Amino acid sequence: MSFDTDVLISGAGAAGLTLAIDLARRGVSFRLIEQNTQPFNGSRGKGIQPRTMEVFEDLGFVDRMAATGGPYPPLRHYRPDGTHNVSLLTEAEVFPTPAEPYAAPLMLPQFATEAVMRERLAELGHHPRFGTRLTGFEQDAHGITARMEGETGEHMIRARFLVGTDGGRSFVRHALAIDFPGEALGVRAIVADVRLEGLDRSVWHRFQLGSPATQVMICPLAGTDLFQVQAPVALDGEIDLSPAGLTALIEVRTGREDITVRSVSWSSVYAMNARLADRYRVGRVFIAGDAAHVHPPTGGQGLNTSVQDTYNLGWKLASVLAGAPEALLDSYEAERRPIASNMLHLSTRLLGEARQGTMRRDREARQLDLGYRGSSLSAPGSVGGKVQASDRAPDAPCRGQAGQRTRLFMIFQGSHWTLLGYQPHDRPSAIAGVRIVAVGAEHELVDEDGNIAEAYGIEPGQWVLVRPDGYIAGIFPSDGLEPQLSRYLAHVLPSGPTDTLEGS
């Protein structure tokens, strides 16, 4: 049967770009289409959480992101009596640790985040196709037949899978008739990227001279000369988002006449909702990102959750396309939908706090503790120490036997699985698609500072199997290791562990 591509991705925002980058580095054919004729030019999502930084490191562009953006500034709260106080956005100052190399969120406006991602995708030889709209599709037991409309008219494409990363109004979700239950949160707000005079760029300015409904927040956007203006507005009626209109709104809400908006590069008025799709998959079609969940912006969770959706899906699609059992794809919804449900609860709770004048971001918002406990991909009978099957695999600085400093994240980086042995007596046979690395005085890695032992809490002779997306699949003893691996990997790899590198 003839196919034009393996995966058709509809929507070239952060979720679609993440999937495209992951598939590109795995050598999977895809097409990434976007109905808009130009890239998104706003700052809607401006926070990159530490767990997403880890994802971006694996995909090869975290340092470029950090160079483009910057840290979140402190908050300056202006009081009605003319005084102000300064506080941190997080509950306390946070610092990197050996197990968690990225401690605080990075500020980077969404348009800049996506620009870096498109650059990374171009390095891998691919580009989004802007001005191309998905107008319909049908699926059968083998693939998808999709209709697309672009500058040259309508044409058909045949793909094995379709992934809708096409936003909250998702055409793909509507076409699948997936319910999108939730609620309107009774809040309407503006967000605008502006150039203004009268405020310094060292802090995030928050004015609330009356009730929370009259507040305005003005944040300098790292890596740009712009400020982001955010403010609640009436539930109905026209809002003047011109420079003069925003200047007038700021004057009313701050009591200051010295703040002047000179230009507006992007703006939006939106009503906040919290909604979660009933399903993430129908046959050979998937939804991800805002197509699967929408939420208030509080807590900086949306873009990050969207990126992690497709980071979860990418390696599974690649493995199934290479011959792994198709049942592997069932784990995508099973793992990611509960994460989105909890994220909606967090964002909604933080919105309630913000409406009362409180802005804080605790550890939960940084997403480092997210995992897939209870997942079907957790190896049965797995033992554990400080970490368990389906937990995030911690980082740890260590030394290679050749003398160079390295980190576990550098060992994990790439499209492979990793089997990490701690002071093992024996080494299993090589396995196609699995990097086997042993820790100990006579092995590849030396845990000279004890960071691996501290982070994992495992015993000598134990082996940790790490998934391609950086989560622990299982922790195994040396006794009976190869039969256990063989049974497990048969469900997730194109071929079982008997297909060794020596015979490939």
Side-chain angles (χ1 to χ4, degrees):
M1 186 171 295
S2 176
F3 290 91
D4 300 294
T5 193
D6 285 327
V7 183
L8 175 61
I9 309 168
S10 179
L17 287 165
T18 298
L19 181 57
I21 292 167
D22 201 14
L23 294 178
R25 68 172 180 162
R26 296 173 186 279
V28 175
S29 67
F30 66 90
R31 291 193 189 176
L32 175 61
I33 64 172
E34 169 58 53
Q35 67 176 357
N36 294 314
T37 57
Q38 298 291 331
F40 178 68
N41 68 339
S43 68
R44 184 181 295 119
K46 64 178 183 294
I48 309 298
Q49 298 295 345
R51 176 55 190 154
T52 304
M53 297 282 284
E54 296 177 352
V55 172
F56 289 163
E57 178 179 345
D58 180 48
L59 296 177
F61 54 88
V62 69
D63 291 318
R64 199 176 309 171
M65 285 281 186
T68 306
Y72 268 74
L75 291 164
R76 181 183 293 167
H77 302 257
Y78 296 84
R79 302 187 183 98
D81 63 3
T83 62
H84 65 261
N85 72 301
V86 177
S87 64
L88 298 174
L89 183 66
T90 55
E91 78 282 9
E93 192 168 4
V94 293
F95 300 95
T97 68
E100 298 175 353
Y102 307 105
L106 173 75
M107 180 184 287
L108 190 63
Q110 186 172 339
F111 66 84
T113 295
E114 293 177 1
V116 171
M117 298 177 79
R118 287 192 300 275
E119 182 180 6
R120 177 61 179 143
L121 184 61
E123 292 173 346
L124 296 168
H126 299 272
H127 302 272
R129 301 187 182 197
F130 288 100
T132 304
R133 182 168 64 94
L134 182 67
T135 59
F137 60 87
E138 298 173 350
Q139 64 174 308
D140 54 47
H142 303 287
I144 306 294
T145 302
R147 296 185 301 278
M148 301 188 300
E149 187 177 84
E151 291 183 358
T152 59
E154 188 172 82
H155 62 281
M156 309 291 286
I157 185 174
R158 183 75 174 156
R160 288 180 169 86
F161 295 100
L162 167 64
V163 182
T165 53
D166 50 348
R169 297 183 176 88
S170 172
F171 171 81
V172 174
R173 189 188 67 242
H174 283 291
L176 294 171
I178 296 175
D179 286 339
F180 202 39
E183 60 177 334
L185 299 176
V187 178
R188 186 170 176 241
I190 63 166
V191 58
D193 298 344
V194 307
R195 291 178 175 84
L196 61 75
E197 298 173 354
L199 290 175
D200 69 83
R201 300 185 61 85
S202 65
V203 295
W204 185 345
H205 305 268
R206 182 173 181 273
F207 297 87
Q208 185 177 324
L209 306 186
S211 70
T214 64
Q215 69 178 296
V216 62
M217 295 181 291
I218 306 174
C219 180
L221 290 172
T224 76
D225 61 353
L226 300 170
F227 286 83
Q228 183 191 69
V229 178
Q230 296 173 292
V233 294
L235 291 176
D236 50 31
E238 293 295 319
I239 305 297
D240 185 355
L241 295 176
S242 68
L246 289 173
T247 298
L249 181 147
I250 291 170
E251 181 178 343
V252 168
R253 298 198 181 190
T254 65
R256 290 174 52 169
E257 300 178 357
D258 60 331
I259 304 172
T260 303
V261 175
R262 294 301 184 189
S263 65
V264 179
S265 63
W266 172 80
S267 63
S268 177
V269 182
Y270 63 99
M272 296 187 193
N273 290 270
R275 299 189 182 279
L276 177 62
D278 278 348
R279 303 178 65 183
Y280 279 23
R281 178 191 183 190
V282 176
R284 306 182 77 82
V285 185
F286 302 81
I287 58 173
D290 288 352
H293 43 76
V294 297
H295 48 85
T298 40
Q301 301 296 290
L303 182 147
N304 296 272
T305 303
S306 299
V307 163
Q308 292 172 47
D309 281 348
T310 49
Y311 186 61
N312 178 285
L313 180 59
W315 70 267
K316 296 173 182 179
L317 284 171
S319 194
V320 169
L321 285 163
E326 198 165 307
L328 174 61
L329 297 174
D330 293 335
S331 67
Y332 165 63
E333 177 183 319
E335 291 186 339
R336 292 306 302 171
R337 192 173 181 278
I339 295 288
S341 178
N342 291 334
M343 180 271 291
L344 262 63
H345 290 306
L346 171 63
S347 297
T348 304
R349 190 195 81 214
L350 292 176
L351 174 64
E353 294 177 1
R355 294 174 73 176
Q356 299 304 313
T358 301
M359 288 186 67
R360 66 179 181 86
R361 304 289 185 268
D362 56 18
R363 181 177 173 85
E364 186 179 7
R366 299 197 289 276
Q367 301 190 337
L368 291 167
D369 298 323
L370 296 180
Y372 304 125
R373 293 279 181 97
S375 168
S376 63
L377 298 187
S378 296
S382 180
V383 295
K386 285 190 174 182
V387 292
Q388 304 288 328
S390 295
D391 289 353
R392 164 191 166 274
D395 195 12
C398 49
R399 179 173 58 83
Q401 194 63 256
Q404 299 303 310
R405 300 293 300 179
T406 187
R407 297 160 48 224
L408 287 187
F409 276 9
M410 296 179 70
I411 305 298
F412 299 159
Q413 186 176 27
S415 60
H416 57 271
W417 292 68
T418 305
L419 183 63
L420 182 71
Y422 188 70
Q423 298 179 8
H425 297 295
D426 300 303
R427 185 185 184 92
S429 301
I431 307 166
V434 180
R435 181 176 183 181
I436 301 174
V437 180
V439 180
E442 306 300 322
H443 298 290
E444 296 103 310
L445 296 183
V446 181
D447 190 23
E448 58 188 3
D449 297 321
N451 290 308
I452 298 174
E454 171 65 23
Y456 285 79
I458 52 178
E459 301 294 330
Q462 289 186 321
W463 292 84
V464 181
L465 181 64
V466 181
R467 297 168 19 165
D469 57 356
Y471 289 89
I472 295 171
I475 302 173
F476 307 94
S478 289
D479 293 342
L481 173 64
E482 295 203 40
Q484 290 185 77
L485 284 176
S486 179
R487 288 190 295 271
Y488 179 86
L489 293 174
H491 297 287
V492 296
L493 289 181
S495 57
T498 54
D499 182 12
T500 62
L501 292 174
E502 289 88 340
S504 63

